[in-house]
C-alpha cells in the first residue's frame, strides 16, 4: 500500500484518479481548494478509511508524508482559468515549485499533468512530443498555456539538478462524467445545451477539430505512466488520435440526446486552436497504452451524468 497525494483531487480528472488509486489498494490524500473541484465528485469517498480530503491551495506549501505525488491542480477550461489569470499562472508555477520541493524532500516520484495546450495553435498536425509549439505569450489563453509550459520546465530542471524522479504527461481533450456543467468546454457545453433545449453554440464555422479522449482511458494512461520504469519520464501525449470537427460532435450529441436544439454560430475566440490531435506512438511503445472507448460510447455515459445532475440541481 502506498500513501499518495493527488493535488486537484476533487476535480473532474482528479476524482477519477482518486477512485483508481483506492481501487488499487492505496491510501489517498486529496488536496483541492475547490475553486473548480467539487465536493460532489468525492462525496462517495469521504467514508473510505483510506481517503483523506484536505482543502488546500497548492500555491501554499504543503507538508505531508507520502510515497508519490500526482500534481493535477489547476483550472483547465478557458472559462475558469481566464476568470483569474494571474492566479492560474501562480497555480501552475508556484504550485509546481511547492510540489517539486515536497517530492525532493521526500525523495519520491512526482507526475505532472501537463496539457496539449503547450502546443498552442499548432503549425504541424498531428502533434508529436518533439513539437515545440506555437503559443501566444500575450493572449488570453497564455496564463494557462505558458503556466503549464513553465511547470514542465521546472519538472525537467528538478530532474536534471536534483535527480528527481519525474513523469510528465500531456493531456489532450478529455470528457466524461464529473465534468463541470459550466466549464465552457465543448463537450459539456453541447450536452447541457441539448438537454436544456437551448441553441448549441458553435464558434467559427465548426470545421475546427479536436480529438476527444474518454476519462477512463486518460486515467489508465496516467496510472501506467506513473508506474512505468524510471527512465520513462516524458513528456508523453495521452489522448485519442481520432479527430472530429465541432459540427460532427454537435451532430452526435443531438442524435444521442434526441434534442431539437438548433445550431448557433458565434465568432471564434482569440487564439482558439484550429486543430488538435496527438501522435501517441510513444505512449504505445513505452506504456503499452492506447484509448479503447469510442466517442459515441463515452458520450452516452457523459449524457447520463449531465441529465442526472441537471435534474438534481433543477438547473
Amino acid at each position: 500500500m502506498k500513501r499518495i497525494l493527488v493535488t486537484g483531487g476533487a476535480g473532474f480528472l482528479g476524482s477519477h484518479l482518486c477512485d483508481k488509486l483506492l481501487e488499487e489498494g492505496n491510501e489517498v490524500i486529496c488536496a483541492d481548494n475547490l475553486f473548480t473541484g467539487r465536493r460532489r465528485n468525492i462525496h462517495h469517498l469521504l467514508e473510505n478509511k483510506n481517503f483523506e480530503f484536505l482543502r488546500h491551495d497548492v500555491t501554499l506549501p504543503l507538508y505531508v508524508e507520502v510515497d508519490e505525488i500526482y500534481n493535477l491542480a489547476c483550472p483547465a477550461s478557458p472559462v475558469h482559468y481566464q476568470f483569474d489569470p494571474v492566479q492560474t499562472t501562480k497555480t501552475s508555477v508556484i504550485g509546481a515549485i511547492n510540489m517539486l520541493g515536497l517530492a525532493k524532500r521526500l525523495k519520491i516520484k512526482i507526475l505532472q499533468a501537463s496539457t496539449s495546450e503547450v502546443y498552442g495553435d499548432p503549425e504541424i498536425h498531428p502533434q508529436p512530443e518533439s513539437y515545440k509549439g506555437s503559443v501566444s505569450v500575450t493572449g488570453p489563453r497564455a496564463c494557462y498555456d505558458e503556466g503549464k509550459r513553465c511547470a514542465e520546465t521546472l519538472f525537467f530542471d528538478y530532474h536534471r539538478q536534483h535527480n528527481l524522479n519525474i513523469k510528465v504527461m500531456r493531456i489532450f481533450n478529455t470528457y466524461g462524467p464529473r465534468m463541470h456543467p459550466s466549464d465552457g468546454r465543448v463537450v459539456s457545453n453541447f450536452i447541457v445545451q441539448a438537454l436544456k433545449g437551448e441553441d448549441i453554440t458553435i464558434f467559427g464555422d465548426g470545421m475546427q477539430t479536436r480529438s476527444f479522449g474518454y476519462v477512463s482511458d486518460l486515467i489508465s494512461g496516467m496510472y501506467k505512466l506513473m508506474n512505468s520504469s524510471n527512465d520513462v519520464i516524458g513528456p508523453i501525449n495521452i489522448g485519442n488520435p481520432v479527430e472530429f470537427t465541432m459540427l460532427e460532435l454537435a451532430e452526435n450529441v443531438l442524435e444521442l440526446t434526441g434534442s431539437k436544439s438548433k445550431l448557433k454560430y458565434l465568432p471564434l475566440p482569440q487564439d482558439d486552436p484550429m486543430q488538435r490531435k496527438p501522435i501517441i506512438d510513444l505512449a504505445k511503445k513505452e506504456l503499452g497504452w492506447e484509448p479503447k472507448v469510442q466517442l459515441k460510447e463515452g458520450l452516452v455515459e457523459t449524457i447520463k451524468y449531465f441529465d442526472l445532475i441537471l435534474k438534481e440541481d433543477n438547473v
Side-chain angles (χ1 to χ4, degrees), residues 220-237:
S220 168
M222 185 180 289
Y223 185 77
K224 283 176 178 285
L225 176 57
M226 178 61 104
N227 291 283
S228 61
S229 63
N230 289 348
D231 61 336
V232 178
I233 64 175
I236 290 186
N237 290 338

Side-chain angles (χ1 to χ4, degrees), residues 5-185:
L5 172 64
V6 179
T7 70
F12 163 43
L13 297 181
S15 61
H16 284 281
L17 176 60
C18 289
D19 287 343
K20 170 70 172 175
L21 296 175
L22 289 165
E23 287 167 9
E24 295 292 333
N26 301 291
E27 292 183 357
V28 173
I29 298 177
C30 163
D32 203 301
N33 67 354
L34 299 181
F35 173 59
T36 57
R38 305 203 293 171
R39 289 185 184 274
R40 130 187 279 149
N41 291 341
I42 55 168
H43 186 264
H44 63 292
L45 300 177
L46 296 177
E47 298 301 318
N48 189 320
K49 63 182 176 59
N50 292 325
F51 180 80
E52 180 181 354
F53 172 65
L54 296 177
R55 186 159 186 172
H56 182 83
D57 190 315
V58 292
T59 62
L60 303 172
L62 179 61
Y63 302 103
V64 291
E65 301 298 318
V66 292
D67 303 305
E68 287 179 353
I69 301 171
Y70 288 81
N71 186 39
L72 277 66
C74 190
S77 73
V79 167
H80 291 145
Y81 67 62
Q82 291 173 5
F83 176 77
D84 188 345
V86 172
Q87 184 63 27
T88 295
T89 302
K90 289 167 70 175
T91 299
S92 287
V93 178
I94 299 174
I97 291 170
N98 285 333
M99 290 304 107
L100 286 162
L102 177 60
K104 177 190 167 191
R105 179 177 70 82
L106 297 174
K107 297 181 173 63
I108 61 172
K109 199 168 19 173
I110 180 169
L111 180 146
Q112 167 68 1
S114 190
T115 171
S116 61
E117 297 295 337
V118 300
Y119 299 123
D121 189 2
E123 295 167 338
I124 66 170
H125 188 73
Q127 294 81 53
E129 290 87 351
S130 59
Y131 178 51
K132 293 180 173 61
S134 173
V135 180
S136 166
V137 300
T138 58
R141 301 172 71 100
C143 59
Y144 183 69
D145 302 355
E146 291 297 324
K148 288 289 192 177
R149 285 163 69 95
C150 185
E152 284 196 21
T153 299
L154 286 161
F155 266 70
F156 277 86
D157 283 339
Y158 266 79
H159 173 67
R160 285 184 287 259
Q161 187 173 340
H162 303 296
N163 200 31
L164 190 65
N165 190 349
I166 67 165
K167 308 283 183 179
V168 177
M169 67 181 295
R170 290 177 177 165
I171 299 171
F172 281 69
N173 289 63
T174 308
Y175 70 101
R178 301 183 200 160
M179 293 183 81
H180 199 293
S182 56
D183 65 6
R185 296 180 187 178

Side-chain angles (χ1 to χ4, degrees), residues 247-280:
L247 275 177
E248 288 172 326
L249 176 64
E251 289 164 359
N252 275 297
V253 169
L254 287 171
E255 176 191 340
L256 294 171
T257 58
S259 173
K260 302 300 182 186
S261 294
K262 305 299 182 185
L263 303 184
K264 179 180 180 181
Y265 292 86
L266 298 174
L268 196 65
Q270 182 181 343
D271 297 333
D272 191 51
M274 287 304 297
Q275 51 190 9
R276 189 67 63 66
K277 174 183 175 180
I279 292 176
I280 61 169

